[in-house]
Amino acid sequence: RVETTPNHPEAGRESLKTIEVFLKYLDSTRVSLDICVFAITDDRITRRILDAHQHRRVRVRIVTDDEQSKSQGADVAELKAAGVPLVMDRSASDHMHHKFAVLDGKVLMNGSFNWTKHASEANCENVMITNDGQFVEEFS
């Protein structure tokens, strides 16, 4: 289930859906995009990551879970094949379960939100987006 974001500066006539705001932030990267997420299966997100890496020449780095990278619909192999530097945990029993990204060293996106289509369309998830330097530094 996608919630709306009525207080976003670009909301205007209608509230932007949370996923739209999330994607706009990914589109805004110009220098670096450091991603640490449990799973990536939402093709809209993957397209934004690939666009940043291939067309805007953003330095993209991803840390993700090895078991989730093998799940149905996982986009990790596509990202790796495109040359995106990718590191996975190496534990069958423990999971890399973080869900955050640091954009251009200045913006933090963090929360329960898995980067999956199901999470953006059905789950009750949260994402905090902040440019507060103290938060950004803790995740950098």
Side-chain angles (χ1 to χ4, degrees), residues 22 26 33-40 45 49 60-65 76 79 84-89 95-103 107-115 138-140:
F22 185 87
L26 290 179
L33 177 56
D34 296 322
I35 300 168
C36 187
V37 292
F38 180 59
I40 304 173
I45 295 171
I49 296 168
V60 178
R61 300 183 299 175
I62 299 175
V63 176
T64 192
D65 184 74
V76 170
L79 292 162
V84 174
L86 203 132
V87 175
M88 290 184 261
D89 69 335
H95 295 286
M96 197 305 302
H97 206 250
H98 290 291
K99 296 134 185 145
F100 71 87
V102 177
L103 291 66
V107 174
L108 169 67
M109 299 193 307
N110 180 43
S112 67
F113 178 61
N114 284 301
W115 292 23
E138 290 294 325
F139 284 84
S140 294

Side-chain angles (χ1 to χ4, degrees), residues 8 10 19-34 44-45 47-53 55-60 101-109 115 129-131:
H8 189 274
E10 294 184 25
I19 188 65
E20 292 168 349
V21 174
F22 185 87
L23 295 173
K24 281 182 174 284
Y25 273 96
L26 290 179
D27 288 340
S28 76
T29 58
R30 296 293 178 258
V31 178
S32 62
L33 177 56
D34 296 322
R44 296 168 296 180
I45 295 171
R47 281 194 304 273
R48 278 6 188 254
I49 296 168
L50 288 171
D51 181 64
H53 175 70
H55 301 291
R56 295 196 311 274
R57 303 290 185 230
V58 171
R59 179 185 50 88
V60 178
V102 177
L103 291 66
D104 294 332
K106 297 177 182 178
V107 174
L108 169 67
M109 299 193 307
W115 292 23
I129 302 173
T130 182
N131 64 354

